[in-house]
Each structure stands twice: as structure tokens, then as C-alpha cells.
Amino acid sequence: EVGLVESGGGSVQTGGSLRLSCTDSGLPFDDAEMGWYRQGPGKKCELISNIGYWGSTYYEDSVKGRFTISRDNAKKTIYLQMRNLKPEDTAMYYCALLPPGDATWYVSSPSCGRISTIYWGQGTQVTVDS
């Protein structure tokens, strides 16, 4: 099956940590940027981090200093290490792949998965209990 496969979500207490993984199966990984979006209950979909093929990174302000994105090109996998989690981090987290070329990241969208120029994973739930 062609797509992005995420894992690593779950439930943690405030201050806890989780690591999300996303593996590319059959999509154009080489030279592609990859990233993570999230959508919390009643909120818009927001880009929280992305990483270029050679490692350049972007972080949304609310996760700077707490989340770390990385990638293993040999494994076609990216990771999101999340530390010091807060209740407001509760959301469905989506892996995303931006194909090489003219496509650009959208900082936000009414709903994750609806931007046709981006490949999306199925999502993994992260719940942070207070």
C-alpha cells in the first residue's frame, strides 16, 4: 500500500513525552520535505513542524523548545519527539509529505487532509491529561 504510516500516539500526563514516527511507503521521498500537522477538538488544522531533505527545520511557536523533528532518509522515516506535553497539545497528529517542485506548505487549514498538493497520513491521536 502506498502512503504514509504513522505510529507512536497515545495518552500521557502533563509533562510527559511521546515520539511519533512516520514512514513513507511508495511516495516520492527523495528531495521531499516532510512535516507534522495537528488538529485539536474544535480547532483548525495547523502546521507545527517540517523538515527538509537535508535537515532544515521549522517549528510553530507553541512547540518550539519542546518538540524536535528529525528524519532518517535511509529508512524513509521522520520522527517527532514531543517533550513537556501540555493539555493543549491534545490533537490528532498527521504526517505530511510535500512533493518536490512548486508545492508549498500551508500554515493552517480548516481541516487536515484536505490540501490536495500534500500527501497525508491517516493520523495518530495524542491525548495529554491534566
Side-chain angles (χ1 to χ4, degrees):
E1 183 177 349
V2 175
L4 300 172
V5 181
E6 300 131 327
S7 61
S11 295
V12 294
Q13 296 292 317
T14 296
S17 299
L18 284 172
R19 189 176 83 153
L20 307 182
S21 300
C22 172
T23 298
D24 173 8
S25 175
L27 293 174
F29 187 87
D30 289 346
D31 295 323
E33 297 181 30
M34 295 189 70
W36 294 93
Y37 282 83
R38 69 182 179 187
Q39 187 158 23
K43 299 181 180 179
K44 60 185 179 182
C45 176
E46 61 178 351
L47 176 65
I48 58 170
S49 184
N50 63 42
I51 185 166
Y53 188 78
W54 299 110
S56 60
T57 59
Y58 158 83
Y59 295 98
E60 192 272 331
D61 285 347
S62 68
V63 306
K64 281 182 182 176
R66 300 188 299 123
F67 291 11
T68 303
I69 191 170
S70 61
R71 67 190 286 165
D72 183 333
N73 290 335
K75 295 182 178 179
K76 297 188 175 183
T77 298
I78 66 167
Y79 306 94
L80 187 68
Q81 178 68 53
M82 305 185 292
R83 297 182 175 87
N84 191 21
L85 283 160
K86 305 175 181 180
E88 52 264 41
D89 295 316
T90 295
M92 185 72 80
Y93 284 70
Y94 295 87
C95 177
L97 184 149
L98 188 73
D102 296 332
T104 60
W105 292 105
Y106 286 75
V107 175
S108 66
S109 173
S111 180
C112 288
R114 299 294 181 90
I115 302 171
S116 61
T117 54
I118 293 174
Y119 292 102
W120 296 89
Q122 80 282 0
T124 185
Q125 178 68 38
V126 171
T127 301
V128 184
D129 298 320
S130 58

